[in-house]
Amino acid sequence: MPATTVFLQKSCLQHRYIRTRDNSHIVERPERLRAVNVGLAAAVARLEETTPAASSSAAGASSSAASPKREEEDELTQALGKLQITSSSPRGPVSFVHSDASVELLNHPAVKFVHGDIERDVYLETLKVWAKDSQDKVAKGESEIPEGYSQGDLYRSLDAIQGALGTVCEAVDAVVRDESQPNQAFVAIRPPGHHCGEDTPSGFCFVNNVAVGAAHAYLKHGIQRVVIFDIDLHHGNGTQAITWSINEETYRQKLEQEHGAPAGKPGLQVYYGSLHDILSYPCEDGKAELIQAASVSIHGPHGQHIENVHLEPYTSEEEFWETLYAKRYSRVLDKARAFLESTGGASDDTLVFISCGFDASEHEYPSMSRHQRKVPTSFYYRFAKDARAFADKYAKGRLISVLEGGYSDRALTSGAMAHLTGLAHDGETGADESWWSLPNLTALEAATKKRRGGRPSQTVPHEPWLARIVEIFASIDSSHTVPTAPRAPIAPSSRTLRERKPPSSASAITSSAKASPATSPGKTDEGRAGKRVTKGQPVALTSGSGSGEESDLTDVTSGTASEHEGESASAKKLPRVILKLGPAPKA
């Protein structure tokens, strides 16, 4: 089995906004996983190019092992075996697992370890009630999210939540159990988790996927030390808070044992290192406690091991790699080494996680990276490669990367491609950072452009590498198979089109000008790449770029004459506009 495994979870495609069909203002959608899958397919196809001999032998061995020739086979069985299509299956150093794992929130030990309470699991019980009642509340015109919580970045997705947690735990089982070779995993799930604390959902996060994975490794496999690298654009305030609580409890047990308390099972120790933008969410509003938490650097005292490094603008690739990455950003790795060295060094009781968000990408939406704290795409490749070398030295190669944020399709595709390439890098596998250059990304996007139903274009690309990517993508992506989730109906509009009559004279034009609404300044929706919609202008109704039933339209209202009763009768005359038309078409 290849050393690097990608885990996919179909139920995560149910993570949907259900209050209206208009989700043009929602940046967190299940369609984002499709962009991730494109990047993963691209990484595998490119890696196959660098190991042709290994790929061919591995494919041949797999085929012969899967369907051995037996004399007792009848002709039909042999014929079916010959019809098996293996060309679309990924080869080389990466394999895929289509997981159907799920956990029950109230019955899973690791979930209760992180999000449970001593007496009863109040938060988890409440979360299930929210999910159960969500459809009814939305149907009544209410929000499924209770008052007091963010209404813009939390919404119903219980199946996705439980499936995401189950897949992370499945990845932990696969990576920790197999001691025959170093193992890495990338878990492509949504919703993300690093903003959720013990009982504080926020930022699209209802549970903390990585923290639950760490708890599962501790409770089931005896992992004693966990290293978490968080490279999302935003500070993982939830993960840091959970880390603090776990370390605090372990430190308390240690002090009690030093003063005569009976020794029990050693507590879990966690290192949390984050690289993030201090100007973005959750620190954007300037709240002192959030900014202070996102700036903590403490190593040892009170049993805490936390390092926060702030992203900075850069003017050139040389400055980024030689100054920022080598001297500042690498501190999250250096402090992790110090943590492990001070707690026993390399050992088989260690597991490494990456909370992997791609929203710091140079290709992220400008509205998301408006503070210019970005990283080049190659950062995701090199950090993954460095984290793998770190895991090889200290954790027997056990490394699990879990998807967090990322919202632009290009950011997700390029980031996933570069990151998986870095995870699969074993010192022998070659990699070319031009794979994710802008011209290649543009060609990749054209080749995998979604058509109706969610499948890629039927046009076969001329370039072999693009054709191979399309083959692999078709074999791993299931976004087009997910049935449409129920949505609240759009309330009937009371708006009417103003009456349009051809002007018969200049006075008619003047009268029409008086009845027309004043044009207001155009409003730009951040989530729509700067598209400008101006009130008072005709709006063309077009289908959205999402799953067919979703509209990309924002709410645009146009005034009527009745709205402007009482306006001055001496309205300023508009200049007469003459439209010159071409000749009439011949009959």
Side-chain angles (χ1 to χ4, degrees), residues 103-108 111-112 121 124-126 128 162:
V103 303
E104 168 54 48
L105 291 181
L106 297 178
N107 296 325
H108 195 274
V111 179
K112 294 161 73 70
D121 301 323
L124 296 174
E125 293 173 358
T126 302
K128 295 205 70 172
Q162 296 188 146

Side-chain angles (χ1 to χ4, degrees), residues 495 497 538-544 551-554 556:
R495 293 173 288 177
L497 294 175
V539 178
L541 301 181
T542 60
S543 60
S551 170
D552 276 343
L553 292 175
T554 53
V556 181

